[in-house]
Amino acid sequence: MKAPLSVRIVLLVVLMSGILVGGILVTVYPLLVKNYETIIAEREAAEIDGLASELELSQQQRMLALEAFATRLLTDEGRLRDRQALQALLQQPSVASQLFPDGLLIFDAEGTAIAENSHVPGRLGTNYMDRPHFQRARQTREAIISEPIMGRTTGLPLISYLQPILSPDQRIIGYTGGLVDLSNTPLIDAEKWNEEQSSIITLIVDPQHRLFVSMRERFDTPEPLPDDGEDALVDAALSLSPAGTVVAYQQRPYLVTTQRLESLGWIVLRALPYSDAIAPAKASFRQFLLIALVAMSLVGLAGAWIARTLTRPIERITHRIDHMADDARFDSDFLEQGGPEVRALAHSMNRLANERKVADDAIRNAERFLSNILEAASEVAIIATDTAGVITAFNKGAEHMLGYSKSEIVGKQTPAIFHRQEEVSVRSAQLTTAFGKPVEGFRVFVEKAELDGSEVREWTYVHKDGRHVPVSLVVTPMRGDDGDISGYLGIAEDITERKRADQMKNEFISTVSHELRTPLTSISGALGLMMGGGAGELPDKAQKLLTTAHRNSKRLAHLINDLLDIEKIAAGKLHFDMQVHALMPLIEQAMEADRSYGSHRGVTLLLAEEIPEVFVNVDAQRMLQVLANLLSNAIKFSPDGDTVTVSVEASDNKVIVSVIDNGPGIPDAFHEKIFQRFAQADSSDTRAQEGTGLGLAITRELIDHMGGRIDFESSEGKGSRFFFELPLVATAAETSPSSLSAVDQDHAPRILVVEDDSDIATLLAHMLSDAGYRVDIALTGHEAQKRLQETHYDLMSLDLMLPDMSGLDIIYTLREHPATADLPVVVVSAQVEENRLALSGQATGIDWLAKPIDQSRLIDMVGRQLSDTSIQYPRILHVEDDADLHEVICAMAGDHYTFEAARTLQEARKRLQQTTFDVVLLDIGLPDGSGWELVEDVRARQPDAKVVILSGADMAQQHHDKVEAVLLKSRLSKDALIRGIDARIQSSRLTGRAPTGWQG
């Protein structure tokens, strides 16, 4: 039975008081402890400052006394007195003799003791120059204090003070020294510093030599410091623990304070038991606790009296309410009498009774209103069910759409009677796969609606007479006041006319598109042939007109392709050839194809970051279509001269590809429509950008079909970022096409692996052997040279970090000998870029593979190098920013030349460092400067390479003299290009120089 209200009020008051007092106690106690810790730390810091000052003062007094005594040991001529005089001086009273009661000595310039004030057998005549402090005094010519040492003759722990005696010309002619016996004369007065509290511990240590200068007890030998972790106080001293640090020592906590003596390098530590430090805080806390308990008791008694006074009238009203409930009536005849609280309660009860009557009337009116709405909604079918799926509501619209009456359905049937079983089975399989659990029966209609709040989906209703009605069905869970689902509501709209209109539109688009594609293919092909020189050389005006016509034919073809693709997607007929592909080559191919799209406006494409080892399961052609749509959109909306950036980011299970532009951005009102068909932010007749509005809709469908997701980020006026995600595919290293079969092993190429790490060498040998090559291993550079002299190899794998010589030296040696000058080399190194720069293009036929080793890349490199050595075609570097023109040039030249493209000066310089070329085909106008800037680099790096300028305008004769040839783009033909390149190459090979001033 629950406690009465009065008891609960008392308990609440006591509990809140306890919590308040407890909170105060929890807060006050740490503050008290912290305060006392601070006070003790400050007091100990002051104590240790005093001790340090006294110790420093005593050391200074001893050194000053020793320095003054040293001046008495010299004659007027600046020489050291004779031994008798020195002995006499030592016997006389002096400040030095008082400060050094354990011995005052005089040494000659070689460190031999020659006089002493107190005789110790065997000390005179002993040489001490091997002592470290003697050696330091001789080097610095300054006074020195030694670390604690053992007396050579006394065997006692000492600290030696040494003062060099200098002649007028600053030569050392002797030493005077004083001794302090640590076992007899402590450096500090322990009784003085520990007299207030005998539990205080004071230590002085020498951290440099890890020795005690003073101990808690008197010691007879210099004692080394214990190892780290053995003595907590010593560890605290060595780490210079700040004041107030708590250290556990001998199973007791201590509050420590440390300080370094700068002049001596020693460390002083004071440690006070923690219990002594916080004892006053505990006493204060006990007093505060007692006061709090008394206050809590008084508050509890006061609360009990107040609770009883307040609850008694309320109890009487409660009894009255119980009687009303027993009589099943709820009237407003509470008498508003008594105290203010009782009158307020009675008044509230009377108001509640009146408002309940009004609410009951409103509920009845609302029920009638909702019923009228359901009956009036004759164009949509509204069906409600309980949680088990039994229909509880069936409006007039449902009766008209399905042919059933309300009496036939409500309370008797489930929505399954209106659905095609094959559609339900397909949807069941889809949901089962998506949720990882069986979804069957009525749950097929409501599972996703419960998860997302609602679900909109097209279904086919079955009329009572058997005909099919396509509908768009919205299913929403209905929830009660407690938030639990009480049923489900389905609202269905007949979409028969919409379906018929969509079908007609798709059929029309398909027909028109196919009828247009056939003639357009002929037109575009003919224009392409004419532009490529198939009809001979054309006038400039005709060339421009053909270019315009060809560009617009491509645009029309792109429009037709979009229309066909969207029709195929809508019909579910678009074929996908899903295979595992490396992602980066697809991105590079798409960027290559779209570079010329924005070239006339100066818009360039930039790959922000390259992630080579990324594989995805996609249709390669559809992937290129996605990239082309995103890149062309970004270029289209970019300002003139701007850059479109492509970024690739990979995680453990997915890769994100982003296309970023700095265009006008997408208006906020258009964000929700961006991926809809035929959607355009500016759909007016005067819009600035062309397009159908189908590209992004197609892109989303393609990405969805390939298992990915596409989205965008954009702010109006700040550009846009479109990105898509694809799941990564983990692939094992595939065998290179250059791998050889076992049956060809006897005739397989032989490879020499040069690697000083035997494990890596064995790994490389296994990789290459598995690919069908014959492999030998050399663990040193000299072994590699010997094997190269004895055996013919087709290729060498080389580590540049060898134990006996540099791998670069091996490369230089290979290239100097005719027999190995053309030997292909694959460099396997952890420092690829540094070593590649070191070669500076001086050696050719080299591929670079960074450690750790990727097997597929290694085999590809080996296969490529071996295939390159079989047929050597002239190598041409084509420096041209127009990708289309580069393709045309390659097509004109045919298969008898090896072309490499560079689209900027920076890329061209990089390729000149890595590869040797026969001809450099150079455009003057490049994105990052003039092509003339590259001529000097070609002359410096590859003096044998011939420079052919491919320009769009005539040049002055002085420009012709700088290069081997000048070709005009407007007059370029296939025969002229090949004739010109061959002439340069043959001229170079026959005469060693190239003719100048040739113009085609």
Side-chain angles (χ1 to χ4, degrees), residues 563-578:
L563 291 172
L564 283 177
D565 284 345
I566 205 70
E567 185 270 333
K568 289 179 181 178
I569 290 172
K573 299 178 181 179
L574 194 63
H575 174 68
F576 284 82
D577 181 16
M578 302 294 288

Side-chain angles (χ1 to χ4, degrees), residues 659-698:
V659 178
I660 306 166
D661 66 69
N662 299 310
I666 301 170
D668 294 342
F670 191 67
H671 281 195
E672 295 182 359
K673 304 177 182 178
I674 192 68
F675 290 110
Q676 293 181 6
R677 301 176 187 179
F678 302 101
Q680 291 181 324
D682 179 8
S683 57
S684 65
D685 294 338
T686 60
R687 64 179 184 267
Q689 303 297 342
E690 60 190 27
T692 63
L694 289 174
L696 289 177
I698 294 173

